[in-house]
Amino acid sequence: MNTKNETLKLIEPTADLCDAYTDLVLDFRAAGRPFHQNYFDDLLDFGAFVDRLRHLDPPTAEPITMHLWAVRGRTIVATVSLRGLAVPTETGCDAQLTCHVRPSERHATNDVLALVAERASLLGMRRLRLTPADEPVARPPAASAPTTAACSV
């Protein structure tokens, strides 16, 4: 049973959470915000989708992209894409972060970002640039430091 008191944690995507991913997509749809345009394709072969997320870059690729899910119990609270940048930006950011927080869990945005910042720090990433989830990755940063306003909430 999911409660707001369960611990929020970051995990690698897993095929065991197909129903939770479907709930995430439905949460975005109910809020009038499409999750992403090909989500039905993801659900047709969820195992293959998860495998693609987990193995998007070969282990030797630089920079590497990590896809993570912030979960509370069996609820996916947010999806996260964290990519180390080969060359830091003019503002010193050495990693790119895209975060989709489910509309019904907006209150958890800061907690999700704190978990991601901790994981990024363990990977040697010192400064994250947030990319709004509905904007192309190439968009220049609006501010020199990450803010929750740049996260999809």
Side-chain angles (χ1 to χ4, degrees), residues 14-30 33 35-36 39-47 49-50 69 74-77 79 102-104:
T14 173
D16 295 343
L17 292 178
C18 183
D19 290 341
Y21 187 84
T22 302
D23 289 343
L24 171 78
V25 169
L26 293 175
D27 196 340
F28 273 90
R29 287 188 68 196
R33 298 177 54 212
F35 184 55
H36 67 82
Y39 62 85
F40 279 123
D41 294 340
D42 300 344
L43 296 174
L44 290 176
D45 189 347
F46 193 70
F49 165 67
V50 166
W69 291 345
R74 293 193 53 83
T75 298
I76 300 173
V77 174
T79 63
R102 71 187 301 152
S104 65

Side-chain angles (χ1 to χ4, degrees), residues 27-89:
D27 196 340
F28 273 90
R29 287 188 68 196
R33 298 177 54 212
F35 184 55
H36 67 82
Q37 65 186 34
N38 297 322
Y39 62 85
F40 279 123
D41 294 340
D42 300 344
L43 296 174
L44 290 176
D45 189 347
F46 193 70
F49 165 67
V50 166
D51 194 50
R52 281 193 311 276
L53 286 180
R54 293 177 66 131
H55 302 101
L56 190 62
D57 290 331
T60 58
E62 288 290 334
I64 195 161
T65 301
M66 294 182 72
H67 292 279
L68 301 165
W69 291 345
V71 298
R72 182 180 293 114
R74 293 193 53 83
T75 298
I76 300 173
V77 174
T79 63
V80 175
S81 174
L82 182 61
R83 180 175 183 80
L85 300 175
V87 178
T89 66

Side-chain angles (χ1 to χ4, degrees), residues 73-152:
R74 293 193 53 83
T75 298
I76 300 173
V77 174
T79 63
V80 175
S81 174
L82 182 61
R83 180 175 183 80
L85 300 175
V87 178
T89 66
E90 63 282 351
T91 58
C93 296
D94 59 358
Q96 179 101 16
L97 168 65
T98 304
C99 179
H100 299 264
V101 178
R102 71 187 301 152
S104 65
E105 293 279 352
R106 287 182 58 177
H107 63 277
T109 300
N110 288 336
D111 295 334
V112 170
L113 293 176
L115 284 174
V116 173
E118 182 180 335
R119 176 71 61 95
S121 177
L122 293 173
L123 296 170
M125 299 171 184
R126 298 178 323 277
R127 191 169 177 144
L128 303 177
R129 178 174 90 179
L130 278 173
T131 302
D134 57 351
E135 303 255 350
V137 170
R139 181 178 180 265
S144 60
T147 65
T148 56
C151 194
S152 172

